[in-house]
Amino acid sequence: MLFNSLEYLFFLPVVFILYWTIFEKNLRYQNLMLLVASYFFYGWWSWKFLCLLLLSTILDFAYGFGVASKNRKRSKQFLWLSIINNLGILAIFKYYNFFIAQFQTAFSFLGVHIDPFLLNIALPVGISFYTFHGLSYVFDIYRGVQQPVKNFIDYAVFVCFFPLLVAGPIERANHLLPQIQKIRQFDLARASIGLRLILWGIFKKVVVADNSAYFANEIFNNYTNYNGSAVFLGSFFFAIQIYCDFSGYSDIAIGSANLFGFDLLKNFKFPYFSRDIAEFWKRWHISLSSWFRDYLYIPLGGSKQGKLITVRNTFIIFLVSGFWHGASWNFIAWGTAHALGFMPLFLLSKNKINTKNAISENSIFPSIRELRGMITTFLFVQLCWIFFRAPSLDISFNMLGKIFSFDFFAFPNINTPNQDKLKLLHLILAGLFLFIAEWHSRTSDISTQFLDKITSSTIRWAIYISLTIMIVYFKGAPVEFIYFAF
Amino acid sequence: MKYFIRRLSYFLSLTGVIFVMFSYFYYYQTEHKFTIHQKIDYLILGDSHVQNGFDAEKHLPNSINLSNSAEAYFYCYCKLKALIDKEIKIENVILSYGPHNLTTTIDTIWVLDNENFLSKSRGYYPFMRFNDVSEFITKAKFSKFIAIKLIPEVFYQSIYSLERQLLIKKLPYLGGFEPNLNQLSIIASDTTNNGPIAASNISDIQVFYLEKIVDLCKSQKIKLFLLNTPLFYGTNVTQPKLKDKDFVILDYGNRFKGQIEYFADKVHLNAKGADVFSTMLANDLNKFSTK
């Protein structure tokens, strides 16, 4: 069930009404209601893979008790069991074919032809997210910051709460579980923020991301027909698409959770306003980067064991982060490119300069220095997205070759029919609106903060109505959420 | 909670009111466009073959072309019925009838396709009757949800129409002659749309609505012509197997066979071809009416 689908439009109000009317008074019923709704939400996509989700949940719930054992050796054994179990599921469903293909290539290089067995199954939606939920739970128990949960329903809701089930934010046991274990009271302010976030998220996804996807797909799929400047524009459209697609999804997820009395982790904090690549990674897919920081970077030694080890750890984090997105050399190249962009900042000890505050925090316009940093960071990130979006490394380098050629200085050779010109005009209008709104929210954690700054309720309502009209009228052809593929 | 629900209801109601206002504006304009003519000598209905091929309004006085691309017979039926309901006197109907129109291939892309239904219905809803739409949804086996999906589409169409009028000063497009400016340059090797239709490939839904058009014309004493426009490979049409045969087939399928200069592609006439063909057809119709 997609957040931008008609089914969700029915599903959400029904669950909301049942939750706050029939099940309001009792915590156990509240959680049971959420669990049934979440399984229904997932089962709508595939009942078969719901069994996999259930199995993964049961195993991690059981391992949690073992990991909590006072016997450290036994605890470690259960921790490894959980790691093998979760990464094993990922390895089979997500990475098996990739590794087999690499072995096949390596053997054929040695002159040996092998004909291995390949899996022909769809990637279960949300597998990278719910396995990471499970891992976070056992890691936190092992680190002693979380007690094993005694009630299976509470734990199952933590793993599969429907707003975050298929594409995050990746929650932490010590953040979400205490909320699940406490009865929720209806909170008007939180629910109102939730609705705003849902509206804003749908606008970002349906209007900006889906329309950008139209142009990005055209250029990426036929890049040989376009000159350097047009290919550059294609990567620009994709940069806008992926941000609005994923942050729009996160806004809808966080907004939906708000309606049920939950606060989820923030996933995006206006990453395209970052002044350097270190700041970008503090603002992009925060729940994933902080997960890797806490459960991989720090256990590897973090930055406490000298520069060389820190450089190694940083590269590991970026590579793993890239590989997490998918079994392809493109994602590894994308992670490596970001690591290479980050490294000079780290080596010059400038990686924390811009991470403490937001751009032009005390003024409306950025300084020249900030603006320069913001534009160069955006351009770097935009070019890196080519690895993310292009179907192969060869094509990525060919596209970059076109951009870094004299061809770049030619006028983009995009022949847009009249209908597409109108679509482009709509996209530009919506994009400008988005840019202004997000700029006004940049110092906040909530992407709809700009609405709170408007004192006139008439203007606020006019914006709500305008957003609704834009969603209906400017909407692009439906494109599946990009992160559903991960 | 109550306050929250109340505020949400206000928002939905306000959005609803705006939606109804926009939709009424579109509805009003469509009605107006339909009642411009009180008497129509030739009403042209059908798909892109007549939309690109027959400039009736230029060659035949008192005629109106309401054909549109990818138009299944259901929509032609709705248009005809709407005009009759408005008591507009129609003498003749010319309906596009090519070798493709009754095939199941057309079912897949024009009749059973959700997107096609939504994009047609959002523009045509002012003259589509509830019973007809309901019957069509059942016949096409669409999900019942499709009626709900139509609501934002109707809203979309209303704003689109308004924007179109503001930017290019054109009334809502319900069909009409559109010259095709392309030129056939490569002769395609396949012969899609040109072979005879196998009996098993006949579309039941298209036949059903063709029958309804025939019946409606008969009951209103309207002369019905089934028109096969020229095709590059020169394919003729066969007689449709209908209960009632109160129609005349005008088969121009092989009239311009192989004359590449008249075609935009292998099945659509270009502007030049349309001009020559429209003159020819208008003359033939005039001769026909004087007989």
Side-chain angles (χ1 to χ4, degrees):
Chain A
M1 200 183 296
L2 298 174
F3 280 169
N4 56 338
S5 68
L6 198 64
E7 290 85 355
Y8 193 68
L9 192 70
F10 283 99
F11 171 81
L12 187 67
V14 169
V15 178
F16 177 81
I17 289 166
L18 289 175
Y19 182 82
W20 289 120
T21 52
I22 300 170
F23 301 100
E24 190 194 5
K25 300 278 187 269
N26 187 306
L27 174 64
R28 185 185 279 187
Y29 290 154
Q30 274 190 336
N31 288 343
L32 190 64
M33 167 80 209
L34 286 182
L35 185 64
V36 171
S38 299
Y39 282 157
F40 179 81
F41 177 85
Y42 195 82
W44 190 268
W45 172 71
S46 166
W47 284 105
K48 282 181 202 159
F49 285 127
L50 181 60
C51 299
L52 182 70
L53 170 65
L54 193 61
L55 179 73
S56 165
T57 311
I58 292 168
L59 288 176
D60 280 328
F61 178 70
Y63 293 146
F65 295 106
V67 175
S69 162
K70 289 200 172 95
N71 179 338
R72 206 59 183 160
K73 195 178 165 192
R74 187 179 158 82
S75 168
K76 208 168 195 165
Q77 281 171 347
F78 275 100
L79 177 71
W80 276 107
L81 264 177
S82 174
I83 292 172
I84 291 165
N85 170 48
N86 283 297
L87 297 187
I89 290 175
L90 275 179
I92 292 168
F93 287 96
K94 194 168 174 177
Y95 299 107
Y96 174 81
N97 285 354
F98 173 75
F99 281 119
I100 291 294
Q102 302 315 307
F103 277 122
Q104 198 175 14
T105 310
F107 276 108
S108 67
F109 193 68
L110 298 170
V112 182
H113 176 74
I114 52 167
D115 196 12
F117 169 72
L118 292 174
L119 288 175
N120 187 21
I121 46 170
L123 180 71
V125 167
I127 190 168
S128 306
F129 294 90
Y130 68 72
T131 48
F132 271 44
H133 282 152
L135 284 172
S136 140
Y137 173 70
V138 290
F139 284 151
D140 280 353
I141 293 175
Y142 187 74
R143 294 194 309 173
V145 294
Q146 173 70 45
Q147 288 298 311
V149 179
K150 295 201 173 80
N151 186 324
F152 176 74
I153 291 172
D154 291 359
Y155 176 72
V157 171
F158 160 69
V159 175
C160 72
F161 183 33
F162 70 86
L164 49 81
L165 178 57
V166 286
I170 300 169
E171 268 297 335
R172 304 302 185 76
N174 60 2
H175 178 254
L176 188 58
L177 270 169
Q179 297 182 62
I180 292 170
Q181 290 168 322
K182 202 171 74 179
I183 192 156
R184 275 81 61 186
Q185 303 290 337
F186 183 78
D187 178 350
L188 178 67
R190 186 188 274 142
S192 304
I193 290 172
L195 273 190
R196 284 181 192 176
L197 280 170
I198 291 172
L199 187 65
W200 188 239
I202 294 175
F203 167 75
K204 282 205 271 190
K205 163 66 184 156
V206 170
V207 179
V208 187
D210 287 355
N211 278 312
S212 300
Y214 177 81
F215 296 103
N217 290 345
E218 165 58 28
I219 294 170
F220 270 86
N221 294 342
N222 307 295
Y223 79 97
T224 47
N225 301 338
Y226 293 104
N227 61 15
S229 51
V231 171
F232 178 79
L233 270 181
S235 64
F236 174 80
F237 282 123
F238 182 70
I240 302 300
Q241 181 200 346
I242 193 164
Y243 168 63
C244 290
D245 188 283
F246 194 21
S247 74
Y249 176 90
S250 296
D251 284 342
I252 302 170
I254 294 168
S256 301
N258 282 165
L259 290 179
F260 296 93
F262 291 95
D263 285 322
L264 298 186
L265 288 172
K266 183 82 189 137
N267 226 8
F268 288 89
K269 275 175 78 174
F270 318 105
Y272 288 158
F273 296 149
S274 303
R275 289 153 290 181
D276 58 44
I277 203 69
E279 188 186 3
F280 175 81
W281 279 103
K282 288 273 175 196
R283 294 172 174 276
W284 179 274
H285 203 174
I286 302 165
S287 67
L288 178 72
S289 43
S290 61
W291 196 100
F292 280 126
R293 182 197 62 210
D294 292 348
Y295 301 126
L296 188 62
Y297 182 74
I298 291 172
L300 283 172
S303 57
K304 302 266 191 273
Q305 296 182 0
K307 283 234 158 171
L308 209 60
I309 297 288
T310 312
V311 168
R312 182 203 70 179
N313 293 346
T314 308
F315 261 98
I316 289 174
I317 290 296
F318 276 109
L319 291 182
V320 172
S321 174
F323 200 51
W324 175 89
H325 286 87
S328 145
W329 286 108
N330 275 55
F331 292 119
I332 295 172
W334 173 74
T336 310
H338 273 276
L340 291 172
F342 177 83
M343 219 34 83
L345 290 172
F346 171 72
L347 293 172
L348 296 168
S349 301
K350 288 185 172 177
N351 56 319
K352 287 182 181 163
I353 291 177
N354 293 318
T355 51
K356 297 206 167 44
N357 59 2
I359 188 168
S360 67
E361 207 159 61
N362 302 314
S363 60
I364 296 175
F365 298 107
S367 66
I368 298 289
R369 187 193 161 101
E370 284 180 320
L371 189 64
R372 194 184 59 207
M374 191 174 98
I375 292 171
T376 48
T377 306
F378 178 79
L379 287 176
F380 175 77
V381 171
Q382 178 193 327
L383 295 180
C384 288
W385 285 130
I386 290 177
F387 290 110
F388 201 95
R389 170 63 180 80
S392 71
L393 272 184
D394 286 353
I395 292 176
S396 309
F397 285 117
N398 286 343
M399 291 179 81
L400 284 169
K402 280 198 165 217
I403 292 172
F404 290 104
S405 70
F406 286 111
D407 218 15
F408 177 75
F409 298 101
F411 194 76
N413 60 339
I414 304 172
N415 295 321
T416 39
N418 280 341
Q419 203 183 337
D420 288 359
K421 280 179 189 153
L422 199 62
K423 197 189 275 277
L424 190 61
L425 178 73
H426 292 163
L427 178 60
I428 291 169
L429 285 174
L432 272 175
F433 181 70
L434 173 81
F435 178 81
I436 293 167
E438 296 229 321
W439 183 257
H440 282 280
S441 302
R442 71 192 179 282
T443 52
S444 162
D445 273 356
I446 302 170
S447 50
T448 52
Q449 173 71 18
F450 69 97
L451 288 166
D452 290 330
K453 291 183 179 173
I454 299 166
T455 47
S456 159
S457 60
T458 313
I459 295 177
R460 264 203 316 273
W461 275 68
I463 292 175
Y464 300 149
I465 301 284
S466 307
L467 283 173
T468 311
I469 291 174
M470 279 198 275
I471 287 167
V472 174
Y473 188 51
F474 289 179
K475 71 176 165 44
V479 177
E480 198 168 70
F481 285 101
I482 294 173
Y483 269 67
F484 274 19
F486 306 139
Chain B
M1 180 75 170
K2 278 182 189 164
Y3 180 76
F4 177 77
I5 299 285
R6 200 164 61 227
R7 300 281 286 180
L8 188 59
S9 309
Y10 289 159
F11 171 72
L12 294 175
S13 309
L14 194 58
T15 311
V17 168
I18 292 169
F19 166 78
V20 170
M21 277 165 55
F22 271 115
S23 307
Y24 182 74
F25 181 68
Y26 179 77
Y27 187 91
Y28 171 79
Q29 285 191 316
T30 311
E31 287 272 299
H32 175 69
K33 191 165 179 176
F34 255 44
T35 46
I36 288 175
H37 299 75
Q38 277 310 306
K39 183 175 179 298
I40 299 171
D41 285 344
Y42 289 95
L43 171 68
I44 290 81
L45 296 171
D47 58 21
S48 55
H49 288 218
V50 280
Q51 182 198 27
N52 293 160
F54 187 31
D55 188 359
E57 285 149 41
K58 186 178 164 190
H59 293 89
L60 291 169
N62 240 357
S63 65
I64 180 166
N65 186 337
L66 286 180
S67 60
N68 201 350
S69 72
E71 193 114 303
Y73 284 145
F74 165 66
Y75 305 104
C76 302
Y77 170 73
C78 290
K79 284 178 179 174
L80 177 62
K81 197 173 172 196
L83 288 167
I84 290 168
D85 285 350
K86 295 206 173 300
E87 296 178 352
I88 293 165
K89 179 72 186 146
I90 302 166
E91 295 292 338
N92 304 283
V93 167
I94 299 174
L95 181 68
S96 183
Y97 177 70
H100 61 292
N101 281 102
L102 294 184
T103 60
T104 43
T105 314
I106 291 304
D107 262 1
T108 319
I109 53 176
W110 293 0
V111 182
L112 306 177
D113 179 54
N114 281 0
E115 291 307 316
N116 186 287
F117 172 74
L118 290 173
S119 68
K120 290 280 180 202
S121 305
R122 74 186 182 200
Y124 294 165
Y125 78 91
F127 55 77
M128 289 164 89
R129 300 290 166 261
F130 180 80
N131 290 346
D132 293 331
V133 177
S134 178
E135 183 182 49
F136 182 67
I137 286 176
T138 312
K139 282 210 163 288
K141 296 191 177 87
F142 287 137
S143 149
K144 300 294 171 201
F145 274 125
I146 200 135
I148 297 160
K149 279 189 177 171
L150 197 55
I151 295 170
E153 292 292 334
V154 165
F155 195 14
Y156 172 90
Q157 182 66 27
S158 307
I159 310 173
Y160 171 73
S161 172
L162 189 64
E163 187 185 31
R164 195 177 138 91
Q165 283 170 67
L166 292 173
L167 293 179
I168 54 173
K169 314 261 183 254
K170 280 194 175 176
L171 281 171
Y173 181 72
L174 306 171
F177 174 69
E178 292 271 321
N180 192 329
L181 302 177
N182 293 332
Q183 171 60 51
L184 177 62
S185 56
I186 304 161
I187 300 170
S189 56
D190 69 298
T191 52
T192 319
N193 287 342
N194 294 288
I197 311 163
S200 60
N201 289 336
I202 296 289
S203 156
D204 291 340
I205 301 180
Q206 284 285 81
V207 170
F208 177 78
Y209 283 104
L210 182 57
E211 295 246 26
K212 286 193 116 173
I213 292 170
V214 173
D215 290 347
L216 193 58
C217 287
K218 190 180 175 186
S219 67
Q220 298 295 318
K221 298 187 172 59
I222 297 168
K223 184 91 189 156
L224 175 64
F225 296 94
L226 301 184
L227 171 66
N228 182 25
T229 57
L231 300 163
F232 181 69
Y233 286 109
T235 311
N236 290 118
V237 284
T238 50
Q239 183 89 3
K241 286 176 183 161
L242 305 180
K243 287 174 213 145
D244 216 319
K245 307 275 190 224
D246 273 353
F247 51 81
V248 175
I249 293 182
L250 300 171
D251 194 347
Y252 292 83
N254 63 5
R255 193 61 67 94
F256 295 160
K257 185 177 179 181
Q259 296 184 52
I260 200 165
E261 68 274 20
Y262 289 149
F263 288 91
D265 53 47
K266 61 186 177 172
V267 290
H268 295 105
L269 290 168
N270 61 20
K272 186 181 173 186
D275 195 42
V276 176
F277 174 65
S278 300
T279 312
M280 180 192 292
L281 180 60
N283 286 336
D284 290 353
L285 287 168
N286 283 332
K287 280 181 210 161
F288 200 90
S289 63
T290 52
K291 273 184 190 173

